[in-house]
């Protein structure tokens, strides 16, 4: 229950501004690319901070770091609903990336330390389910409420839900019983990070994380601008409701992950990028039904690809799982930050077709890397399970 509440809060707080970017453009008079900074700044700071949050939890304790992360993040989002100017909003969103980093970087380690091996699959599944529902719910609540009572009430509601979830987490999560606190040593941490780059496959999998989330977030950042404008003229509530297709990810991540376990990750990963590319092609057509179908296909492919790539990282990382997972998540969120912001430049210069070309280039690059990984020599380790839980997104 505690980890489900944590996942729900973390990704609701993180992504609640994504459907509001057109509202920010209108209220603050900023471009689409500038409005995208409300998410890109957060994920950029989050990416760097996550590299060190795990080490800090070694010294300060798992529950202490995760609880402080959740409660401070919820308070920052509540403050965001009150800010009068754009630059203060961006400052709070950047601080949110710093405070949020303490949960996703530590939660998986806590689960592996504290839960019995027979139950860890269920515990990880509940946490990832909370991630998916929180990511969708934060977008949906903020987007729909923005249409009827304004974006500030929408953001405040998400912040309040995050605060309640943080309190539930605080009271219900058992203290660590198997963690022994250790001093934080930056040099040793850097050495473990460097070891991950000596593997033949891990750096390419980190790149896949960058490209997957970069393409996915860029699509969702700017599709609202297209659908709010003529000839569609949808309102903010309807555009916000489109984010409900995010729930498809709860199915596709499990289904494609299972398929990869049966057939092999190298044989399935490329299909996720191919599906995303087909979905992107649908978004440049005119009929609204085809555009929505394209969003569904991209969402399905993204979650499936992320599930496969992240579990493959765990498979190849050996004794450096924590550091390899941190590096994968670093690349993953940097994709959101850099590509998500850059897509706005293409939207400003060439509209949705420009965004589609940019996203298409990211997906094609991911497809080429997936085909290269197809030829990667497999690891032979009978003592290891064939499948491992994916890194939570």
């Amino acid at each position: 229950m505690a980890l489900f509440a944590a996942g729900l809060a973390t990704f609701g707080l993180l992504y609640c501004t994504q459907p509001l970017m057109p509202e920010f453009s209108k209220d603050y008079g900023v471009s689409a690319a500038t409005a995208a900074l409300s998410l890109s700044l957060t994920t950029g700071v989050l990416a760097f901070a996550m590299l060190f949050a795990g080490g800090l939890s070694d010294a300060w304790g798992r529950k202490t770091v995760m609880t402080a992360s959740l409660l401070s993040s919820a308070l920052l989002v509540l403050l965001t609903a009150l800010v009068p100017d754009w630059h203060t909003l961006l400052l709070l969103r950047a601080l949110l990336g710093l405070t949020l980093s303490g949960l996703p970087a530590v939660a998986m380690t806590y689960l592996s330390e504290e839960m019995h091996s027979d139950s860890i699959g269920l515990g990880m599944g509940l946490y990832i389910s909370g991630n998916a529902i929180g990511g969708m719910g934060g977008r949906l609540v903020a987007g729909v409420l923005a249409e009827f009572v304004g974006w500030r009430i929408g953001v405040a509601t998400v912040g309040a839900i995050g605060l309640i979830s943080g309190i539930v987490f605080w009271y219900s999560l058992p203290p660590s019983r198997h963690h022994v606190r250790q001093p934080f040593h930056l040099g040793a941490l850097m050495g473990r990070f460097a070891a991950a780059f000596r593997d033949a496959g891990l750096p390419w999998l980190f790149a896949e994380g960058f490209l997957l989330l970069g393409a996915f977030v860029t699509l969702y950042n700017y599709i609202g601008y297209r659908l709010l404008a003529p000839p569609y003229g949808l309102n903010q509530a309807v555009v916000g409701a489109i984010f409900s297709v995010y729930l498809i990810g709860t199915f596709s991540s499990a289904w494609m992950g299972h398929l990869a376990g049966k057939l092999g990750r190298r044989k399935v990963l490329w299909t996720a990028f191919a599906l995303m590319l087909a979905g992107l092609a649908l978004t440049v057509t005119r009929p609204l039904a085809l555009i929505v179908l394209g969003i569904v296909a991209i969402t399905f492919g993204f979650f499936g690809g992320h599930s496969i790539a992240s579990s493959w990282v765990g498979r190849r990382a050996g004794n450096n799982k924590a550091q390899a997972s941190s590096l994968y998540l670093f690349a993953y969120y940097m994709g959101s930050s850099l590509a998500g912001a850059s897509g706005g430049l293409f939207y400003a210069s060439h509209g949705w077709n420009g965004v589609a070309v940019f996203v298409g280039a990211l997906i094609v690059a991911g497809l080429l890397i997936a085909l290269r990984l197809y030829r990667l020599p497999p690891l032979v380790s009978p003592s290891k399970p064939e499948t491992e839980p994916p890194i939570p997104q």
Side-chain angles (χ1 to χ4, degrees):
M1 181 175 70
L3 269 297
F4 177 84
L8 182 75
T10 301
F11 291 91
L13 297 170
L14 176 60
Y15 288 113
C16 66
T17 60
Q18 193 171 43
L20 303 177
M21 291 173 187
E23 294 292 310
F24 295 155
S25 292
K26 183 171 61 177
D27 280 11
Y28 293 111
V30 297
S31 67
T34 303
L37 290 174
S38 63
L39 179 59
S40 295
L41 266 179
T42 311
T43 54
V45 174
L46 175 66
F48 280 99
M50 284 181 67
L51 293 175
F52 305 99
L56 292 177
S57 76
D58 288 340
W60 297 347
R62 311 292 191 213
K63 182 174 180 178
T64 300
V65 169
M66 291 190 289
T67 302
S69 171
L70 271 184
L71 295 178
S72 59
S73 297
L75 291 174
L76 282 173
V77 171
L78 286 170
L79 287 175
T80 302
L82 305 175
V83 295
D85 63 273
W86 177 243
H87 291 99
T88 305
L89 186 148
L90 289 183
L91 175 62
L92 290 178
R93 291 293 296 178
L95 289 174
L96 179 66
L98 183 64
T99 58
L100 270 181
S101 66
L103 198 129
V106 178
M108 187 166 61
T109 304
Y110 174 91
L111 282 171
S112 65
E113 289 174 343
E114 302 299 327
M115 295 199 77
H116 190 277
S117 59
D118 292 344
S119 301
I120 193 169
L122 174 61
M124 187 67 73
L126 287 171
Y127 175 54
I128 295 174
S129 295
N131 293 349
I133 294 171
M136 182 210 67
R139 292 169 167 106
L140 187 61
V141 168
V144 172
L145 288 181
E147 175 66 24
F148 300 105
V149 291
W151 68 263
R152 294 179 186 275
I153 299 297
V155 168
T157 301
V158 174
I161 293 170
L163 188 60
I164 293 168
S165 298
I167 293 171
V168 169
F169 176 86
W170 185 10
Y171 278 98
S172 61
L173 186 75
S176 295
R177 291 174 297 171
H178 305 291
H179 168 62
V180 179
R181 297 192 183 193
Q182 303 171 2
F184 180 76
H185 291 299
L186 183 60
L189 182 64
M190 293 297 103
R192 290 193 293 271
F193 282 140
F197 287 95
R198 291 194 284 271
D199 179 82
L202 285 175
W204 294 109
L205 290 168
F206 301 155
E208 293 290 61
F210 178 97
L211 296 165
L212 278 165
L213 192 61
F216 182 69
V217 164
T218 303
L219 172 95
Y220 273 91
N221 277 0
Y222 304 105
I223 194 66
Y225 286 93
R226 185 184 186 198
L227 298 180
L228 287 167
Y232 307 105
L234 302 181
N235 61 37
Q236 184 65 49
V238 174
V239 172
I242 288 174
F243 286 95
S244 62
V245 304
Y246 203 86
L247 279 177
I248 291 169
T250 62
F251 166 75
S252 69
S253 58
W255 183 77
M256 290 193 74
H258 175 69
L259 191 65
K262 289 178 62 179
L263 304 179
R265 296 176 181 88
R266 68 193 68 249
K267 295 180 180 179
V268 181
L269 180 59
W270 71 270
T271 65
F273 287 97
L275 182 60
M276 291 178 72
L277 198 59
L280 181 67
L282 291 177
T283 67
V284 300
T285 62
R286 190 175 181 86
L288 181 60
L290 290 181
I291 294 173
V292 173
L293 182 60
I295 295 171
V296 169
I298 290 172
T299 303
F300 192 103
F302 161 72
F303 276 100
H306 170 56
S307 177
I308 296 166
S310 61
S311 64
W312 204 348
V313 169
R315 173 70 172 160
R316 295 196 66 92
N319 294 326
N320 291 317
K321 282 184 174 57
Q323 287 69 43
S325 297
S326 295
L327 288 168
Y328 176 82
L329 290 171
F330 170 78
Y332 183 77
Y333 286 112
M334 286 305 295
S336 170
S337 180
L338 297 178
S342 300
L345 303 177
F346 288 87
Y347 184 82
S349 60
H350 295 94
W352 180 253
N353 288 341
V355 174
V357 169
F358 175 63
V359 173
L362 296 176
I363 296 173
V364 168
L367 178 59
L368 292 174
I369 291 174
L371 294 175
R372 188 187 191 284
L373 287 168
Y374 187 92
R375 300 189 297 273
L376 182 70
L379 294 175
V380 179
S381 179
S383 63
K384 292 287 183 183
E386 186 60 30
T387 59
E388 296 190 17
I391 299 166
Q393 76 118 0

